[in-house]
Amino acid sequence: MTPIALLGIPNDENSSYLRGPAEAPAAIRRELFSDAYAQYSESGVDLSVPGRWIDHGDVAFEAGQDPWLSIETAVARALEPGHPLISLGGDHAVTHPILRAVRRQHPRLTLVHVDAHPDIYDAYQGNPRSHASPFARIMEEGLADRLIQVGLRATSAEHRAQFRRFGVETVSAAQWTGELRLTIDTPVYLSLDLDALDPAYAPGVSHREPGGVTPRQVIGLIQSLRAPWVAADVVEYNPRCDIGNATALVAAKLVKEIAGMMAGGTREAAHLAA
């Protein structure tokens, strides 16, 4: 059995508009482990088996210590036994220190980033650690060999210049009209910003961007990634903006499907579920 490590990262100090994503890990966990919902992934994995989840709790942030160091240290500790890791943000800025720890264990790595926004500004509002800038830092530091961004629908001239600078591969929301298959020949890290989803499905985000994708499209992408999964994050859920806890439920569903694939689930099992 493949255990799945879970780590909460309650940090939103680099959010540019609203606070609230720091409250997300607890809210997502409530839905993830609720008796109200099935504990099987669509890919055929029983997530209720004892020992399936190894929950490392939340990163503790201490006064006077760089939060990036706290995140990197906690992620490295969670990865040390060799279990795949799902991190619950937090805003998207936390992906940068997560990748610092992941990269040390994986000399080859493809980063699949699902988002309405590229989050690749050199610095946003003068903050190089902004949640609008983590992928610039990640690519500058060589923390991934390949960056594929999908679901985009809010790009600027600076973003496009950064795409060229870093060789980013992009699939806009408009281009994601059918089944999306990515060919990847390295281990994979998935960074999932919930505002990639249309606000009709995920209103609980700080930066709602209409014209987004559906949960079914994202689940299909998750199930199509055949490369070895090493880690993932689900970020930018803002409980303060949610309606009827709908986004927390969607986030928990996506975490289950990521965990199912990490634990050896198959796309074929999902297609036979009916």
Side-chain angles (χ1 to χ4, degrees):
M1 182 184 72
T2 303
I4 307 299
L6 192 66
L7 178 68
I9 306 181
N11 186 289
D12 61 8
E13 65 183 37
N14 291 288
S15 293
S16 61
Y17 178 56
L18 297 174
R19 294 294 183 265
E23 301 163 15
I28 296 172
R29 277 192 183 91
R30 281 195 296 270
E31 300 302 324
L32 181 61
F33 298 117
S34 172
D35 290 339
Y37 313 114
Q39 293 301 311
Y40 269 85
S41 72
E42 292 186 14
S43 55
V45 174
D46 184 356
L47 297 170
S48 69
V49 173
R52 176 68 75 190
W53 293 100
I54 300 176
D55 193 342
H56 294 272
D58 290 350
V59 176
F61 296 102
E62 300 177 7
Q65 183 174 35
D66 184 354
W68 260 219
L69 178 59
S70 299
I71 295 169
E72 184 178 349
T73 301
V75 170
R77 188 179 301 119
L79 289 170
E80 189 173 358
H83 306 141
L85 171 68
I86 303 175
S87 299
L88 306 177
D91 66 29
H92 218 152
V94 303
T95 301
H96 174 210
I98 294 172
L99 260 293
R100 284 179 168 174
V102 171
R103 183 60 156 176
R104 289 202 299 270
Q105 293 198 6
H106 297 281
R108 300 184 70 227
L109 188 67
T110 295
L111 175 52
V112 177
H113 169 207
V114 183
D115 203 329
H117 314 93
D119 291 351
I120 202 167
Y121 282 113
D122 181 62
Y124 189 70
Q125 296 178 344
N127 179 12
R129 284 191 175 180
S130 169
H131 69 158
S133 300
F135 294 92
R137 305 289 82 77
I138 287 165
M139 298 308 286
E140 283 173 351
E141 294 181 22
L143 302 180
D145 302 294
R146 185 180 176 197
L147 173 58
I148 308 171
Q149 298 188 320
V150 301
L152 303 179
R153 55 192 186 278
T155 58
S156 69
E158 181 178 341
H159 290 140
R160 290 187 285 274
Q162 293 285 74
F163 296 160
R164 293 188 293 271
R165 177 186 175 192
F166 295 117
V168 182
E169 301 166 57
T170 63
V171 180
S172 70
Q175 293 170 316
W176 192 354
T177 56
E179 188 171 291
L180 182 59
R181 292 289 189 97
L182 302 176
T183 302
I184 298 172
D185 61 2
T186 72
V188 66
Y189 181 105
L190 175 68
S191 184
L192 174 54
D193 187 323
L194 291 167
D195 68 30
L197 298 164
D198 191 88
Y201 304 102
V205 296
S206 300
H207 300 268
R208 296 174 182 166
E209 188 67 41
V213 299
T214 69
R216 179 51 50 192
Q217 284 175 284
V218 177
I219 291 168
L221 174 61
I222 291 167
Q223 293 172 349
S224 74
L225 294 176
R226 301 298 184 95
W229 286 75
V230 297
D233 63 58
V234 177
V235 297
E236 291 289 352
Y237 170 47
N238 189 337
R240 300 181 189 181
C241 300
D242 209 358
I243 299 172
N245 217 37
T247 312
L249 180 57
V250 171
K253 170 69 172 179
L254 297 174
V255 169
K256 289 176 185 177
E257 297 311 317
I258 292 169
M261 296 305 292
M262 287 178 165
T266 66
R267 185 180 181 87
E268 290 72 23
H271 286 184
L272 292 172

